[in-house]
Amino acid sequence: MRDLIRPLVVAPMAGGPSTPALVTAAIAAGATGFLAAGYKTPQAVEAELKAVEGAYGLNIFVPSPVPVDVPALERYRRLLRPEAARYGVELPALRLDDDDHFTAKIELAIAYGVPLVSFTFGVPDRAVVTALQQAGSRVLITVTSAAEAARALAAGPDALIAQGGSAGGHSATTSPDGFTGDTTTLDVLAAVRSEVPVIAAGGVSEAATVERLLGAGALAVQCGTAFLLADEAGTRPAQRDFMLAGRGAETVITRAFTGHPARALRNRFTDTYSEVAPIGYPAVHHLTAPIRAAAAQAADADTINLWAGTGFRSARSGTTAALVARLMPGSQS
Ligand SMILES: Cc1cc2nc3c(=O)[nH]c(=O)nc-3n(C[C@H](O)[C@H](O)[C@H](O)COP(=O)(O)O)c2cc1C
């Protein structure tokens, strides 16, 4: 794995931040980089596979439907009406079935011989893992606990990603009910007993923490939030401005935007809806999508999902090369 996984991994970040330019720059700077296939059409993923350079990775969401409470989703839909009215958009009918084009994305990874394929939100079937490996890919599965690690290992991956509750964006947890996000990355790394290498992810924004996690046995450390302000990242302007203006006071775990627990910068939307939003990904994701799109268009950071991990205060703008250099083990800055 060491040939492909460098000590620092620039995390896949769906929803805009991960671009082929970010991944290519990360690899050129000596890190490992992942494209994010999540939410994209297979055509859009293919265009990115053609645009990226180097020994890159591709991240794919595993469809992991959880039991949903349809009346609770309908209640949430009614609660969101004032938000829709505020932006002049229609709330769509509930949509419960969406596998994010899983099979087509696996077929693309196989066709392009993608060097690294990582998964989040669940464990792919062993047959999928084997097919990717036979096509030359190394397969990584994201886990948040010892129990999830044991289930993931049964599918035969080449490595695990141990994600702490401090991580920005959606948690990889397969138990969204009761997820509090209070595990540290070191806790999860220590809890995961694995015969394959483990990459640590979550809340890391300083070279000293990268070194500590490598010292604790991690093969590499995967950072997302630390690259949100990179020149090559496709982070939405509203989120960039919010972070650069120092408007982020703290992060919270919320399912208000998508129905799955995620760590985001606290804003008006998380304050208003975190307590009442039901579990139900991707139904809630689809429900809030028009509101979030209109708010992003209006550069209203108070209504969009500002995914970020606990280390958000240390995120800096600049070239990816400079940010990679700053986080590499041994860096003094
Ligand atoms: C904006 C954003 C989007 C993310 N999207 C994905 C994704 O598409 N797939 C995935 O496996 N992880 C995703 N993550 C989680 C990262 O892989 C990683 O676990 C996390 O960024 C590590 O924590 P940090 O953000 O504190 O560095 C995302 C994180 C952020 C901040």
Side-chain angles (χ1 to χ4, degrees), residues 108-132:
L108 277 173
I110 290 173
Y112 280 77
V114 172
L116 296 163
V117 179
S118 75
F119 291 97
T120 188
F121 291 162
V123 179
D125 288 345
R126 198 183 172 99
V128 168
V129 173
T130 307
L132 286 164

Side-chain angles (χ1 to χ4, degrees), residues 15 17 70 77 91 96 109 116 123 136 148 161 166 174-176 195 198 233 241 249 283-284 319:
V70 172
R77 191 170 184 280
L91 289 175
L96 305 176
L116 296 163
V123 179
E148 286 176 6
I161 301 166
S166 46
T174 51
S175 309
E195 64 264 22
V198 182
D241 294 347
V284 177
T319 62

Side-chain angles (χ1 to χ4, degrees), residues 47-75:
E48 294 201 347
L49 294 178
K50 287 181 175 156
V52 75
E53 288 166 32
Y56 64 97
L58 177 71
N59 176 261
I60 299 176
F61 292 173
V62 181
S64 296
V66 289
V68 289
D69 177 347
V70 172
L73 288 169
E74 289 291 3
R75 265 197 304 281

Side-chain angles (χ1 to χ4, degrees), residues 24-333:
T24 301
I27 295 167
T32 297
F34 278 82
L35 294 170
Y39 317 123
K40 295 194 178 99
T41 61
Q43 293 74 14
V45 173
E46 184 162 20
E48 294 201 347
L49 294 178
K50 287 181 175 156
V52 75
E53 288 166 32
Y56 64 97
L58 177 71
N59 176 261
I60 299 176
F61 292 173
V62 181
S64 296
V66 289
V68 289
D69 177 347
V70 172
L73 288 169
E74 289 291 3
R75 265 197 304 281
Y76 192 44
R77 191 170 184 280
R78 285 195 293 277
L79 281 175
L80 290 173
R81 277 186 197 147
E83 300 292 335
R86 173 194 279 245
Y87 293 103
V89 295
E90 291 286 321
L91 289 175
L94 284 185
R95 179 172 167 202
L96 305 176
D97 60 328
D98 173 13
D99 71 356
D100 200 40
H101 308 284
F102 181 75
T103 306
K105 289 174 184 177
I106 297 295
E107 283 168 1
L108 277 173
I110 290 173
Y112 280 77
V114 172
L116 296 163
V117 179
S118 75
F119 291 97
T120 188
F121 291 162
V123 179
D125 288 345
R126 198 183 172 99
V128 168
V129 173
T130 307
L132 286 164
Q133 289 166 332
Q134 281 171 352
S137 302
R138 315 280 176 88
V139 176
L140 303 87
I141 302 177
T142 314
V143 299
T144 65
S145 68
E148 286 176 6
R151 277 199 297 280
L153 287 170
D158 298 284
L160 296 181
I161 301 166
Q163 188 190 55
S166 46
H170 283 122
S171 166
T173 184
T174 51
S175 309
D177 199 3
F179 179 84
T180 56
D182 53 10
T183 53
T184 68
T185 300
L186 204 54
D187 290 337
V188 182
L189 180 67
V192 166
R193 297 261 161 269
S194 167
E195 64 264 22
V196 298
V198 182
I199 295 167
V204 181
S205 55
E206 310 281 349
T209 320
V210 173
E211 281 176 45
R212 206 168 311 131
L213 288 163
L214 295 177
L219 172 73
V221 177
Q222 176 165 301
C223 297
T225 301
F227 291 92
L228 281 171
L229 302 179
D231 295 348
E232 294 87 345
T235 308
R236 287 170 299 185
Q239 176 156 3
R240 262 186 207 269
D241 294 347
F242 191 89
M243 291 176 71
L244 284 169
R247 289 186 60 205
E250 60 177 330
T251 59
V252 292
I253 295 290
T254 184
R255 49 187 194 232
F257 296 106
T258 65
H260 188 82
R263 189 171 286 282
L265 290 165
R266 189 179 154 195
N267 63 3
R268 182 191 67 85
F269 200 88
T270 66
D271 281 353
T272 313
Y273 299 106
S274 292
E275 291 293 317
V276 292
I279 287 178
Y281 182 90
V284 177
H285 164 76
H286 290 302
L287 197 52
T288 66
I291 298 168
R292 288 182 285 126
Q297 193 70 32
D300 177 1
D302 274 318
T303 311
I304 60 173
N305 48 307
L306 303 168
W307 297 155
T310 56
F312 70 92
R313 281 186 199 82
S314 309
R316 296 283 176 273
S317 48
T319 62
T320 299
L323 300 180
V324 166
R326 192 174 157 258
L327 280 166
M328 274 292 189
S331 165
Q332 299 302 308
S333 50

